[in-house]
Amino acid sequence: KAGVTQTPRYLIKTRGQQVTLSCSPISGHRSVSWYQQTPGQGLQFLFEYFSETQRNKGNFPGRFSGRQFSNSRSEMNVSTLELGDSALYLCASRAPNQETQYFGPGTRLLVL
Amino acid sequence: GQQVMQIPQYQHVQEGEDFTTYCNSSTTLSNIQWYKQRPGGHPVFLIQLVKSGEVKKQKRLTFQFGEAKKNSSLHITATQTTDVGTYFCAGTSGGSYIPTFGRGTSLIVHP
């Protein structure tokens, strides 16, 4: 099976802009979670989508949003970018009723 | 909320030495997972422990889950330069499928 894919892999934006990141899970996985990874805060959970519905949400401001499509692909959007949003954004999928997360390669976002 | 503490934050070893990272949870866990992230890479699943007192081995790696299911450890015997990376533990509890990650332990192996 193909692994989790994320696009784009690298992105440079300026403050105030918005960005959309994409994630395609492993075939058959319906759960997609998003994480923000920074050197200072480690892996921080953003939200989880399952069957096009947000099922869990981490402690991030409303500027961070997401959605999931009927084919389980997911997008994450960050509006009004701030310098502190610079991070590696990881997407992870998992099989039904399994806790193991399979991570994609991530999108490295730099906000200038 | 659930907190997962991991120590040490960094560990420098000479190639051939052993390495251990420890993970402690503020709550009883349903299970614990371990991931490895190579520099510039993404977390890769290593193993999941579910049972109290469980011990699992993968070649030179030994994983333990505490009797109270609140702590875990990863031990690497005779480290190699290929072991370099950050090792994360991640625990789930309370019926949630969303794991809480520890901050990770970065292993640096000097040849």
Side-chain angles (χ1 to χ4, degrees):
Chain A
K1 282 186 180 178
V4 178
T5 58
Q6 290 187 246
T7 56
R9 293 293 310 279
Y10 304 92
L11 207 48
I12 300 175
K13 292 284 187 179
T14 55
R15 279 181 299 172
Q17 287 187 310
Q18 68 117 24
V19 67
T20 299
L21 312 180
S22 182
C23 170
S24 292
I26 292 172
S27 177
H29 289 193
R30 292 161 61 192
S31 166
V32 174
S33 297
W34 288 90
Y35 293 83
Q36 182 194 65
Q37 186 175 36
T38 59
Q41 297 297 320
L43 269 164
Q44 302 280 306
F45 171 73
L46 281 154
F47 28 66
E48 181 204 19
Y49 284 86
F50 180 84
S51 293
E52 303 178 64
T53 302
Q54 187 181 89
R55 201 158 63 166
N56 291 284
K57 190 176 188 305
N59 191 25
F60 277 80
R63 300 186 296 107
F64 292 81
S65 63
R67 59 177 177 168
Q68 187 180 34
F69 302 94
S70 58
N71 61 358
S72 294
R73 189 178 71 85
S74 178
E75 286 182 348
M76 190 192 98
N77 185 275
V78 188
S79 62
T80 320
L81 284 166
E82 300 176 359
L83 295 179
D85 296 333
S86 295
L88 178 65
Y89 289 89
L90 292 159
C91 160
S93 74
R94 61 179 179 82
N97 300 319
Q98 298 293 317
E99 291 90 355
T100 303
Q101 308 253 336
Y102 294 90
F103 286 87
T107 295
R108 194 165 294 278
L109 172 66
L110 178 61
V111 181
L112 301 176
Chain B
Q2 178 187 328
Q3 290 186 329
V4 176
M5 308 299 292
Q6 195 173 350
I7 57 169
Q9 188 176 358
Y10 299 97
Q11 183 77 61
H12 289 255
V13 299
Q14 289 295 129
E15 190 172 16
E17 291 182 336
D18 292 356
F19 158 79
T20 305
T21 173
Y22 301 91
C23 191
N24 288 286
S25 170
S26 58
T27 60
T28 302
L29 299 170
S30 304
N31 63 69
I32 194 155
Q33 301 160 29
W34 285 91
Y35 295 80
K36 177 183 179 181
Q37 184 173 20
R38 294 181 187 274
H42 58 276
V44 174
F45 172 77
L46 292 176
I47 207 161
Q48 176 171 285
L49 304 173
V50 179
K51 299 176 183 176
S52 168
E54 189 170 14
V55 178
K56 287 189 176 180
K57 292 190 175 184
Q58 289 180 349
K59 297 182 180 178
R60 294 177 295 103
L61 278 61
T62 302
F63 304 84
Q64 293 188 339
F65 201 9
E67 293 290 340
K69 300 183 74 173
K70 296 183 75 173
N71 58 75
S72 181
S73 65
L74 157 59
H75 179 82
I76 302 178
T77 304
T79 55
Q80 300 174 359
T81 54
T82 54
D83 296 325
V84 165
T86 301
Y87 293 84
F88 293 94
C89 62
T92 59
S93 65
S96 170
Y97 286 110
I98 304 299
T100 299
F101 281 80
R103 286 287 191 95
T105 295
S106 292
L107 171 63
I108 300 100
V109 180
H110 299 278

